[in-house]
Amino acid sequence: MGLDEDALDYHSSDPPGKIEISTTKPTNTQRDLSLAYSPGVAAPCRAIEEDVDDAFKYTARGNLVAVVSDGSAVLGLGDIGPEASKPVMEGKGVLFKRFADIDVFDLELDTSDTEGMIQAVSAMEPTFGGINLEDIGAPACFEIERQLGDALDIPVFHDDQHGTAIISGAALLNAADIAGKDLSEMEVVFSGAGASAVASARFYVSLGVDKENIVMCDSGGIITEDRVEHEDLNRYKAEFARDIPGGDLADAMAGADVFVGLSVGGIVDQEMVRSMADDPIIFAMANPDPEIGYEEAKNARDDTVIMATGRSDYPNQVNNVLGFPFIFRGALDVRATDINEEMKVAAAEALADLARQDVPDAVVKAYGDQPLQFGPDYIIPKPVDPRVLFEVTPAVAEAAMESGVARTSLDMDTYVETLEARLGKSREMMRVVLNKAKSDPKRVVLSEGDDEKMIRAAYQMTDQGIAEPILLGDRDRIEAIRETLGLSFEPEIVDPSESDLEKYADRLYEIRKRKGITRREAGELVEDGNYLGSVMVETGDADAMLTGLTHHYPSALRPPLQVIGTAPDADYAAGVYLLTFKNRIVFCADTTVNTDPSEEVLTEVTKHTAELARRFNVEPRAALLSYSNFGSVDTEGARTPRKAAGMLRDDPEADFPVDGEMQADTAVVEDILQGTYEFSDLEDPANVLVFPNLEAGNIGYKLLQRLGGAEAIGPMLVGMDKPVHVIQRGDEVKDIVNLAGVAVVDAQQE
């Protein structure tokens, strides 16, 4: 089946299209319905009648954008009419929701009259928080956006104009830096003089390009002042007319620093590229076929050609999805009256800055594990990079406030946290811990410190201020990797081959001499990162430790258990995963350590997990799980969690609700818990789930993660005398940083 057939099947499968309306409030009971509609709805209606701004408080208006089109200039398809443009506009709504959690009504208007469209959109202002104009032909689009912007008190944004301008503008900032060229001195040539080209040229001027250095070409060649006098050129093209000799695109490109293609494919050849200045910048953005192919442009000359296209199969894709969702998110959240030039510049600068940062593993994996590092082949972030939301959006919101178009003010630190929460409950939970970590950073030793992921994690810990990392490993290798990755920090490095480890060997010998370890063996063992890190933490030279990235979990756990051991009030360690769902979180224990725990072990694991929950600002409610409900089955397997639950209820230190044994659905479904087992000590569903054995715990959390769509944080090791966490092999950098934050908070508790 070809792509067209796949796309038709995708769009026609039930329900047709790509979007639907869903409710955000309960509608299960008669009371719910009376609040949602009659008679309860009268109260917000009266409030809004008294103050129309309350529409943003009591309705979805503040998070609702209209995507408006007449279908006159649909990308790659032309003037196909409003009905045929609807799949594109629905798709735009999907992108708004997917990347910035913004709701959309798509509006396809059956009018070719500029004034008619302006009147129609103006009349709908009370419904929306913003207007996104889409696929409207030039020059009408310029006038429609201008008049709507003047008439409406909400943001109006024509993405076909400004989206490409902003994203390519970010690429231009970085390309100029890599090429060592000053924006104000660069000669820029445009192929194309439509909406995107004119808006991009204007925006480049805002970024610092000299307008007198811009040459714009249309199908008739260079737009000159002579052509303006003798031809019927619209005023938008005339804006960039130059008092220079006429000529074609090849003439314009000779000696140029930058080529910006927003026209048609295949109109630039290698000879034209060779005629450009040293280290040229080429943005060939015609879709689906660029003005010149990527390889063709790169192979045209021997110096550095910095190339961007509109295609996803080549580096540096200029993709508007990097702009409009996040620009509107920032504008909506400060209730901006406009999306002005300051906000657009802020978006471009934030994107440019993000491309210079270390790229998350998830983004690298999404692009086939190809290297993504700031340079000629990476000058703009990838569309799937989740950081765009909380890098670009705050920059836009702040620019709106500073430029005077915002109607509300936001605290930027708090705002970033709310944006991160939109990406998932796990980010919201981790932000609690990371903020605590930042308040008093501790020294965290990374036992596999010469691994690339550990070095990148150490950089992020330092950059975010959550920890002071100590890298254990070969100094030369660490420095080489740091330089290759372009990470500008100077981590503390302990290289066993060059360090005096005598005091650590002595301490290890003292701890393990009656466990079969000789002094000579101790001297050899401390050259191993797991043992060295463990002794450093045990002696107080480090506050916490992370290990396990390149080891099996049991072998990574053994050294810290032997050297550091469990806490004075603990006999057992346990592994805990925090699983986050859309509206719920649960802590799952034990998932990594104890194979067949007794009731004493389950009791201790439950208490340690409850303590961990409180570090995440979660009040624990614990359930001891089984295949039995409160004695319905009397076997040894059911009796163990039953006894543990009883021991916990009698334990004055267990100051949290706990019950069991119970089945998993009983523990998490309120109707079962309260409807059938109203005698339970749990008044609300459990958020600490204690499994009866390691087999059940490991299977359970993995099923919840994979089939339940949960995000996982962990495994977090509880019960140790000093903070130690064992990373799973294959964990990403963000997982390491998250566990470092947990370890720092553990150390703060110490």
mmCIF file of all heavy atoms in Angstrom, residues 50-74:
data_model
loop_
_atom_site.group_PDB
_atom_site.id
_atom_site.type_symbol
_atom_site.label_atom_id
_atom_site.label_comp_id
_atom_site.label_asym_id
_atom_site.label_seq_id
_atom_site.Cartn_x
_atom_site.Cartn_y
_atom_site.Cartn_z
ATOM 1 N N GLU A 50 -21.226 40.515 33.717
ATOM 2 C CA GLU A 50 -20.744 41.656 34.498
ATOM 3 C C GLU A 50 -19.310 42.038 34.129
ATOM 4 O O GLU A 50 -18.939 43.207 34.162
ATOM 5 C CB GLU A 50 -20.824 41.330 35.991
ATOM 6 C CG GLU A 50 -22.249 41.175 36.508
ATOM 7 C CD GLU A 50 -22.281 40.832 37.996
ATOM 8 O OE1 GLU A 50 -21.212 40.875 38.635
ATOM 9 O OE2 GLU A 50 -23.370 40.525 38.512
ATOM 10 N N ASP A 51 -18.495 41.041 33.779
ATOM 11 C CA ASP A 51 -17.096 41.299 33.418
ATOM 12 C C ASP A 51 -16.707 40.308 32.330
ATOM 13 O O ASP A 51 -16.469 39.127 32.601
ATOM 14 C CB ASP A 51 -16.186 41.125 34.639
ATOM 15 C CG ASP A 51 -14.720 41.451 34.333
ATOM 16 O OD1 ASP A 51 -14.396 41.711 33.151
ATOM 17 O OD2 ASP A 51 -13.906 41.437 35.274
ATOM 18 N N VAL A 52 -16.641 40.777 31.073
ATOM 19 C CA VAL A 52 -16.415 39.857 29.949
ATOM 20 C C VAL A 52 -15.067 39.147 30.053
ATOM 21 O O VAL A 52 -14.888 38.059 29.494
ATOM 22 C CB VAL A 52 -16.512 40.595 28.600
ATOM 23 C CG1 VAL A 52 -17.926 41.077 28.345
ATOM 24 C CG2 VAL A 52 -15.515 41.743 28.525
ATOM 25 N N ASP A 53 -14.122 39.745 30.770
ATOM 26 C CA ASP A 53 -12.828 39.078 30.934
ATOM 27 C C ASP A 53 -12.951 37.784 31.728
ATOM 28 O O ASP A 53 -12.066 36.924 31.669
ATOM 29 C CB ASP A 53 -11.825 40.004 31.627
ATOM 30 C CG ASP A 53 -11.258 41.038 30.662
ATOM 31 O OD1 ASP A 53 -11.477 40.881 29.446
ATOM 32 O OD2 ASP A 53 -10.589 41.980 31.118
ATOM 33 N N ASP A 54 -14.053 37.628 32.476
ATOM 34 C CA ASP A 54 -14.261 36.391 33.220
ATOM 35 C C ASP A 54 -14.503 35.193 32.291
ATOM 36 O O ASP A 54 -14.518 34.045 32.747
ATOM 37 C CB ASP A 54 -15.437 36.534 34.190
ATOM 38 C CG ASP A 54 -15.008 37.157 35.515
ATOM 39 O OD1 ASP A 54 -13.799 37.386 35.684
ATOM 40 O OD2 ASP A 54 -15.872 37.411 36.359
ATOM 41 N N ALA A 55 -14.690 35.454 30.991
ATOM 42 C CA ALA A 55 -14.789 34.346 30.033
ATOM 43 C C ALA A 55 -13.510 33.516 30.045
ATOM 44 O O ALA A 55 -13.537 32.300 29.820
ATOM 45 C CB ALA A 55 -15.061 34.874 28.630
ATOM 46 N N PHE A 56 -12.387 34.185 30.312
ATOM 47 C CA PHE A 56 -11.121 33.463 30.392
ATOM 48 C C PHE A 56 -11.038 32.629 31.676
ATOM 49 O O PHE A 56 -10.281 31.668 31.743
ATOM 50 C CB PHE A 56 -9.946 34.447 30.344
ATOM 51 C CG PHE A 56 -9.778 35.116 29.009
ATOM 52 C CD1 PHE A 56 -10.354 36.355 28.758
ATOM 53 C CD2 PHE A 56 -9.055 34.509 28.001
ATOM 54 C CE1 PHE A 56 -10.205 36.979 27.524
ATOM 55 C CE2 PHE A 56 -8.900 35.118 26.763
ATOM 56 C CZ PHE A 56 -9.485 36.360 26.519
ATOM 57 N N LYS A 57 -11.813 33.000 32.675
ATOM 58 C CA LYS A 57 -11.808 32.295 33.956
ATOM 59 C C LYS A 57 -12.765 31.117 33.965
ATOM 60 O O LYS A 57 -12.468 30.061 34.529
ATOM 61 C CB LYS A 57 -12.163 33.280 35.071
ATOM 62 C CG LYS A 57 -12.204 32.683 36.468
ATOM 63 C CD LYS A 57 -12.531 33.768 37.499
ATOM 64 C CE LYS A 57 -12.581 33.205 38.913
ATOM 65 N NZ LYS A 57 -12.920 34.263 39.916
ATOM 66 N N TYR A 58 -13.936 31.284 33.341
ATOM 67 C CA TYR A 58 -14.990 30.289 33.471
ATOM 68 C C TYR A 58 -15.212 29.440 32.220
ATOM 69 O O TYR A 58 -16.046 28.525 32.238
ATOM 70 C CB TYR A 58 -16.308 30.972 33.841
ATOM 71 C CG TYR A 58 -16.280 31.619 35.210
ATOM 72 C CD1 TYR A 58 -16.438 32.990 35.361
ATOM 73 C CD2 TYR A 58 -16.088 30.852 36.352
ATOM 74 C CE1 TYR A 58 -16.413 33.588 36.611
ATOM 75 C CE2 TYR A 58 -16.055 31.433 37.608
ATOM 76 C CZ TYR A 58 -16.217 32.809 37.734
ATOM 77 O OH TYR A 58 -16.186 33.385 38.972
ATOM 78 N N THR A 59 -14.511 29.732 31.125
ATOM 79 C CA THR A 59 -14.665 28.946 29.897
ATOM 80 C C THR A 59 -13.289 28.562 29.359
ATOM 81 O O THR A 59 -12.259 28.972 29.890
ATOM 82 C CB THR A 59 -15.426 29.734 28.806
ATOM 83 O OG1 THR A 59 -14.557 30.721 28.223
ATOM 84 C CG2 THR A 59 -16.653 30.420 29.377
ATOM 85 N N ALA A 60 -13.306 27.806 28.278
ATOM 86 C CA ALA A 60 -12.057 27.334 27.654
ATOM 87 C C ALA A 60 -11.455 28.362 26.709
ATOM 88 O O ALA A 60 -10.475 28.065 26.024
ATOM 89 C CB ALA A 60 -12.322 26.035 26.895
ATOM 90 N N ARG A 61 -11.997 29.577 26.681
ATOM 91 C CA ARG A 61 -11.552 30.556 25.698
ATOM 92 C C ARG A 61 -10.047 30.809 25.761
ATOM 93 O O ARG A 61 -9.389 30.950 24.740
ATOM 94 C CB ARG A 61 -12.297 31.887 25.902
ATOM 95 C CG ARG A 61 -11.916 32.929 24.860
ATOM 96 C CD ARG A 61 -12.534 34.282 25.117
ATOM 97 N NE ARG A 61 -12.110 35.241 24.105
ATOM 98 C CZ ARG A 61 -12.317 36.553 24.158
ATOM 99 N NH1 ARG A 61 -12.973 37.066 25.205
ATOM 100 N NH2 ARG A 61 -11.882 37.335 23.199
ATOM 101 N N GLY A 62 -9.491 30.849 26.962
ATOM 102 C CA GLY A 62 -8.078 31.182 27.112
ATOM 103 C C GLY A 62 -7.129 30.136 26.571
ATOM 104 O O GLY A 62 -5.922 30.391 26.449
ATOM 105 N N ASN A 63 -7.652 28.953 26.247
ATOM 106 C CA ASN A 63 -6.790 27.903 25.683
ATOM 107 C C ASN A 63 -7.313 27.430 24.333
ATOM 108 O O ASN A 63 -7.039 26.321 23.898
ATOM 109 C CB ASN A 63 -6.699 26.705 26.640
ATOM 110 C CG ASN A 63 -5.541 25.790 26.304
ATOM 111 O OD1 ASN A 63 -4.407 26.220 26.151
ATOM 112 N ND2 ASN A 63 -5.825 24.500 26.175
ATOM 113 N N LEU A 64 -8.070 28.300 23.666
ATOM 114 C CA LEU A 64 -8.724 27.919 22.412
ATOM 115 C C LEU A 64 -8.274 28.838 21.281
ATOM 116 O O LEU A 64 -8.386 30.063 21.376
ATOM 117 C CB LEU A 64 -10.244 27.992 22.568
ATOM 118 C CG LEU A 64 -11.088 27.490 21.398
ATOM 119 C CD1 LEU A 64 -10.833 26.014 21.129
ATOM 120 C CD2 LEU A 64 -12.567 27.727 21.679
ATOM 121 N N VAL A 65 -7.761 28.240 20.214
ATOM 122 C CA VAL A 65 -7.275 28.981 19.048
ATOM 123 C C VAL A 65 -8.082 28.576 17.823
ATOM 124 O O VAL A 65 -8.412 27.396 17.650
ATOM 125 C CB VAL A 65 -5.774 28.712 18.809
ATOM 126 C CG1 VAL A 65 -5.323 29.203 17.444
ATOM 127 C CG2 VAL A 65 -4.940 29.368 19.902
ATOM 128 N N ALA A 66 -8.407 29.550 16.988
ATOM 129 C CA ALA A 66 -9.051 29.273 15.704
ATOM 130 C C ALA A 66 -7.985 29.142 14.628
ATOM 131 O O ALA A 66 -7.128 30.024 14.485
ATOM 132 C CB ALA A 66 -10.011 30.401 15.342
ATOM 133 N N VAL A 67 -8.007 28.042 13.889
ATOM 134 C CA VAL A 67 -7.164 27.891 12.702
ATOM 135 C C VAL A 67 -8.065 28.189 11.508
ATOM 136 O O VAL A 67 -8.978 27.433 11.205
ATOM 137 C CB VAL A 67 -6.560 26.484 12.609
ATOM 138 C CG1 VAL A 67 -5.842 26.298 11.279
ATOM 139 C CG2 VAL A 67 -5.587 26.245 13.753
ATOM 140 N N VAL A 68 -7.793 29.311 10.851
ATOM 141 C CA VAL A 68 -8.699 29.851 9.834
ATOM 142 C C VAL A 68 -8.043 29.813 8.462
ATOM 143 O O VAL A 68 -6.894 30.251 8.300
ATOM 144 C CB VAL A 68 -9.095 31.300 10.174
ATOM 145 C CG1 VAL A 68 -10.073 31.845 9.140
ATOM 146 C CG2 VAL A 68 -9.691 31.385 11.570
ATOM 147 N N SER A 69 -8.788 29.306 7.461
ATOM 148 C CA SER A 69 -8.272 29.273 6.094
ATOM 149 C C SER A 69 -9.411 29.389 5.093
ATOM 150 O O SER A 69 -10.558 29.030 5.395
ATOM 151 C CB SER A 69 -7.505 27.971 5.843
ATOM 152 O OG SER A 69 -6.987 27.934 4.525
ATOM 153 N N ASP A 70 -9.066 29.884 3.891
ATOM 154 C CA ASP A 70 -10.005 29.827 2.771
ATOM 155 C C ASP A 70 -9.556 28.792 1.740
ATOM 156 O O ASP A 70 -10.181 28.638 0.689
ATOM 157 C CB ASP A 70 -10.156 31.204 2.104
ATOM 158 C CG ASP A 70 -8.842 31.723 1.530
ATOM 159 O OD1 ASP A 70 -7.802 31.035 1.658
ATOM 160 O OD2 ASP A 70 -8.844 32.827 0.948
ATOM 161 N N GLY A 71 -8.451 28.086 2.051
ATOM 162 C CA GLY A 71 -7.959 27.046 1.152
ATOM 163 C C GLY A 71 -7.365 27.562 -0.136
ATOM 164 O O GLY A 71 -7.227 26.811 -1.104
ATOM 165 N N SER A 72 -6.961 28.841 -0.153
ATOM 166 C CA SER A 72 -6.498 29.440 -1.412
ATOM 167 C C SER A 72 -5.022 29.225 -1.696
ATOM 168 O O SER A 72 -4.572 29.439 -2.822
ATOM 169 C CB SER A 72 -6.792 30.946 -1.405
ATOM 170 O OG SER A 72 -6.097 31.590 -0.347
ATOM 171 N N ALA A 73 -4.240 28.803 -0.686
ATOM 172 C CA ALA A 73 -2.801 28.626 -0.911
ATOM 173 C C ALA A 73 -2.283 27.514 -0.009
ATOM 174 O O ALA A 73 -1.380 27.711 0.798
ATOM 175 C CB ALA A 73 -2.053 29.929 -0.650
ATOM 176 N N VAL A 74 -2.858 26.313 -0.170
ATOM 177 C CA VAL A 74 -2.465 25.182 0.664
ATOM 178 C C VAL A 74 -1.109 24.668 0.197
ATOM 179 O O VAL A 74 -0.894 24.441 -0.994
ATOM 180 C CB VAL A 74 -3.517 24.061 0.607
ATOM 181 C CG1 VAL A 74 -3.079 22.869 1.442
ATOM 182 C CG2 VAL A 74 -4.859 24.591 1.087
#
